[in-house]
Amino acid sequence: MEKLEVLTKEKILEATEETLKRFGLTKTSVTDVANALDVSHGSIYRHFKSKAELFEGATEKWLDEKIIKPLTDVCKDSSMVGTQHLKTYIKTLIELKRCYAREDEELFKMYAKVTEESADLIHNHVSQITDQMSEIICRSSINVDDPHQLARTIFQATTRFHHPAHAYEWKSPTINSEFSNVWALIENGLS
Amino acid sequence: MEKLEVLTKEKILEATEETLKRFGLTKTSVTDVANALDVSHGSIYRHFKSKAELFEGATEKWLDEKIIKPLTDVCKDSSMVGTQHLKTYIKTLIELKRCYAREDEELFKMYAKVTEESADLIHNHVSQITDQMSEIICRSSINVDDPHQLARTIFQATTRFHHPAHAYEWKSPTINSEFSNVWALIENGLS
DNA sequence: CAAATGACAAATATCAATTTTTGTCATTTG
DNA sequence: CAAATGACAAAAATTGATATTTGTCATTTG
């Protein structure tokens, strides 16, 4: 049997996710999360210094598990090379965001909210992605001065397809062909 | 002397702009606009069938005067050719949006709100821009199957720099160099 | 008779009273 | 003594009563 009695950040974050799914982003209070754990809400503040920080923690965990982990697999995948690998990486990023916007609505809303409010956390998330893109670029035969800058530039040129502010546009039936066109233009520019 | 007594759409839209600047987006009511014109608010509804339509009308006028008109001048400017002309066009678009986000805050807020709510109007605005881009592409030596599709693709790849949802990012000191990088990538892809 | 009015109902917004939530911290518990 | 509690003040959200705004339309006006 695990030590059920010790309250950890991880347990609080899990309870936060559950509570968000149950009550929704706007209806979830720190007290609700504490109730789900059968502790006083004061105990939460021993681990997170504000509600904002708690939600940032939950977003960080969510982004790590749902977005970064699968992307790391794509990054490590040695069966692909060059622009093909890079395209698959970006396409996976876009499809993951689109998938969770539909299928994990409340947690996606939390992520969208944190994106507007916590520049630091999102900057870090973007860095993780552009670092991996940069790695793929380095392993490729793409000739470029600054692989990391190229990664950031490609990330920015595809903003419409992965930034949560554009989630409402992802329902369009032409979205895939629009990405194809943007990618074709970028890929042309890489040679 | 003009016929001061006839109430026209144009006069209502002018009063709407003034009232928006005076009271701000959230504090402007149809009644306020009617008061500014010394008419009953019922008269407004003879010309616009709802407040939403009134604000859409005001946005259309604002976009036309502040964005489309100057862009038309750039489009017609025959002193430039090819990708240089196209770059100047997009750069002007981006600079105009950035300028009005700063200097015409309340009307820009109205435009941002309408962007979220009236897909039709924005679709039309985007079409005007991509039509002009397409014209520039046609006049250039760029070799391409479908100039209009290329225009849309370039427009989408630069979303981060002209879509109002990203206005908060335009304050960054690196925004110009970021656009330069994206443009360089696109331009490379055009050859 | 075309244009504007103003009375009206329904939908929204506002305000102040009340409740809940957030965040702190002195005290308690194991 | 480390971890959790629960009492507390301050901030924020909710509620319900009131006022404003939106939208309609029968009537008035020029």
Side-chain angles (χ1 to χ4, degrees):
Chain A
M1 190 105 103
E2 287 269 5
K3 284 186 195 169
L4 287 172
E5 69 281 358
V6 281
L7 186 62
T8 60
K9 278 200 172 190
E10 191 54 32
K11 271 183 191 162
I12 294 169
L13 292 178
E14 273 164 26
T16 304
E17 274 193 35
E18 276 165 37
T19 309
L20 278 166
K21 286 188 186 177
R22 207 152 125 61
F23 297 148
L25 178 64
T26 58
K27 290 289 173 191
T28 295
S29 69
V30 176
T31 307
D32 291 331
V33 176
N35 287 343
L37 290 160
D38 269 312
V39 296
S40 73
H41 78 276
S43 304
I44 306 266
Y45 286 92
R46 170 167 288 281
H47 297 270
F48 298 93
K49 69 167 182 284
S50 67
K51 188 186 184 180
E53 208 183 70
L54 173 64
F55 277 33
E56 280 164 31
T59 301
E60 205 171 3
K61 174 174 149 72
W62 185 83
L63 283 172
D64 186 58
E65 287 173 2
K66 307 288 182 176
I67 309 292
I68 299 298
K69 262 204 189 122
L71 282 179
T72 304
D73 293 342
V74 175
C75 181
K76 283 182 187 154
D77 185 340
S78 57
S79 74
M80 285 174 292
V81 282
T83 58
Q84 178 56 40
H85 197 181
L86 201 52
K87 179 181 183 177
T88 303
Y89 185 90
I90 285 279
K91 200 142 186 26
T92 304
L93 168 65
I94 288 168
E95 274 160 10
L96 288 167
K97 291 272 174 91
R98 215 155 66 188
C99 161
Y100 290 115
R102 264 190 289 110
E103 291 170 18
D104 203 2
E105 219 181 317
E106 292 305 328
L107 283 266
F108 191 87
K109 274 187 205 162
M110 169 189 70
Y111 155 58
K113 188 178 139 88
V114 168
T115 296
E116 285 177 346
E117 291 165 6
S118 172
D120 274 13
L121 188 138
I122 295 308
H123 181 264
N124 181 59
H125 170 63
V126 171
S127 289
Q128 287 181 68
I129 291 170
T130 51
D131 282 352
Q132 292 191 332
M133 288 174 68
S134 174
E135 222 181 293
I136 295 172
I137 291 165
C138 285
R139 273 189 262 122
S140 81
S141 58
I142 299 163
N143 189 270
V144 65
D145 282 355
D146 184 341
H148 202 275
Q149 187 193 82
L150 179 60
R152 273 195 306 264
T153 300
I154 295 173
F155 185 83
Q156 288 173 5
T158 52
T159 292
R160 190 171 112 93
F161 305 101
H162 53 67
H163 192 290
H166 296 276
Y168 72 100
E169 299 176 68
W170 302 343
K171 290 164 192 159
S172 161
T174 55
I175 194 76
N176 279 320
S177 104
E178 285 160 7
F179 171 70
S180 289
N181 290 331
V182 169
W183 185 262
L185 184 64
I186 291 172
E187 193 171 316
N188 226 11
L190 295 178
S191 59
Chain B
M1 189 109 98
E2 288 271 4
K3 286 185 192 168
L4 286 171
E5 70 280 358
V6 283
L7 187 62
T8 60
K9 277 198 172 192
E10 191 53 34
K11 272 184 191 163
I12 294 168
L13 292 178
E14 272 164 26
T16 304
E17 273 193 36
E18 276 165 38
T19 310
L20 278 166
K21 285 187 186 176
R22 207 152 124 61
F23 297 147
L25 178 64
T26 58
K27 289 289 172 192
T28 295
S29 70
V30 177
T31 306
D32 291 331
V33 176
N35 288 344
L37 290 159
D38 267 312
V39 297
S40 74
H41 77 276
S43 304
I44 307 268
Y45 286 94
R46 171 167 288 283
H47 297 271
F48 297 94
K49 68 168 184 285
S50 67
K51 187 185 184 180
E53 210 184 68
L54 173 64
F55 277 32
E56 281 165 31
T59 301
E60 206 172 0
K61 174 174 148 71
W62 184 83
L63 283 173
D64 186 58
E65 287 173 2
K66 307 290 183 177
I67 310 293
I68 299 298
K69 263 203 190 124
L71 282 179
T72 304
D73 292 343
V74 175
C75 182
K76 282 183 186 154
D77 187 340
S78 57
S79 73
M80 284 174 291
V81 284
T83 57
Q84 177 56 42
H85 196 180
L86 200 52
K87 179 182 183 177
T88 304
Y89 185 90
I90 285 279
K91 202 143 184 26
T92 305
L93 167 65
I94 287 166
E95 274 161 9
L96 287 167
K97 290 274 174 90
R98 215 157 63 188
C99 161
Y100 291 115
R102 261 190 291 110
E103 290 170 19
D104 202 2
E105 217 180 319
E106 292 304 328
L107 284 262
F108 191 87
K109 273 186 204 162
M110 169 188 71
Y111 155 58
K113 187 178 141 86
V114 167
T115 295
E116 284 177 347
E117 289 165 7
S118 173
D120 274 14
L121 189 138
I122 295 309
H123 180 263
N124 181 58
H125 170 64
V126 172
S127 288
Q128 288 181 66
I129 291 171
T130 51
D131 283 351
Q132 292 190 332
M133 288 174 68
S134 174
E135 222 181 293
I136 295 172
I137 291 165
C138 284
R139 272 189 262 122
S140 81
S141 58
I142 298 162
N143 189 271
V144 66
D145 283 354
D146 185 341
H148 201 276
Q149 188 194 83
L150 179 60
R152 274 195 305 264
T153 300
I154 293 173
F155 185 82
Q156 287 172 7
T158 52
T159 292
R160 189 171 114 93
F161 305 100
H162 52 69
H163 193 291
H166 296 276
Y168 72 99
E169 299 175 69
W170 303 343
K171 291 164 192 157
S172 161
T174 56
I175 195 75
N176 280 320
S177 105
E178 284 160 8
F179 171 71
S180 289
N181 291 332
V182 169
W183 184 262
L185 185 62
I186 291 172
E187 192 171 316
N188 227 10
L190 295 178
S191 57

